[in-house]
Amino acid sequence: MTDRFTTGDHDVFLVVDIQNDFCPSGALAVPHGDEVVPLINKLAAKFAHVVLTQDWHPRGHLSFASSHSGKTPYQTVELAYGSQILWPEHCVQDTAGAAFHDGLRIPHAELILRKGYHRAIDSYSAFYENDRKTRTGLAGYLGERGFRRVFLAGLAFDFCVRYSAEDARREGFEAIVVEDACRGIDLEGSVTATHELFNALGIRCICADAVDGTPTTA
Ligand SMILES: [Zn+2]
């Protein structure tokens, strides 16, 4: 019998980067990325507390291949803080691509956490930027709110969800990934690597139907 998870006041649902550019026809489309939207809406209704993350880059961001002459997307470069995969231009601040997917319906979300706004540092994780030192402030926020368990879902499983789950653990929260409400990019075995890392860190991957919760109230 699979474990069940009943949501309560110490639980928060972290919905990662459900933005147009990560959905089919977006600039950095995650295959089948839009398929998770209805499931995430349903899941969110089981949590009293929801936080949304939003990738939010200035023009000319250093994670864009177009910011490096002669480079193309998915190549790797060395930046001041280490290796960085180069991406197509995506989630540029105040563009349609950076907007949340139209089907996302989570009116009771309490915080929208933007990340990736420093031009010279990418930020896969909702907690730390890619230098692995610069904090976004999310750990402080979640701690002050008294949350202990962080449930995660969204895009992409093997990048922003992975790093956010890892950092939630690092910050002392229990991290639980709702895997059927995620989709991956899978660059060079990154989905397998993510499962291995989660196993090593004690991060559980569960299915959405293992989550129970009462509909949210004010
Ligand atoms: Zn980005």
Side-chain angles (χ1 to χ4, degrees), residues 17 19 22 28 55-57 61 63-64 84 87-88 90-91 115-116 122-124 160:
D17 296 2
Q19 295 167 258
F22 295 127
L28 177 40
D55 211 33
W56 196 249
H57 300 305
H61 193 258
S63 75
F64 298 163
Q84 171 68 48
W87 304 105
H90 65 279
C91 296
K115 61 186 181 62
D122 204 3
S123 192
Y124 297 154
C160 293

Side-chain angles (χ1 to χ4, degrees), residues 161-184:
V161 174
R162 167 193 165 161
Y163 282 90
S164 297
E166 180 182 346
D167 285 346
R169 282 293 285 166
R170 177 177 167 193
E171 290 297 322
F173 301 98
E174 188 178 343
I176 299 160
V177 174
V178 187
E179 194 174 355
D180 52 343
C182 301
R183 291 293 183 273

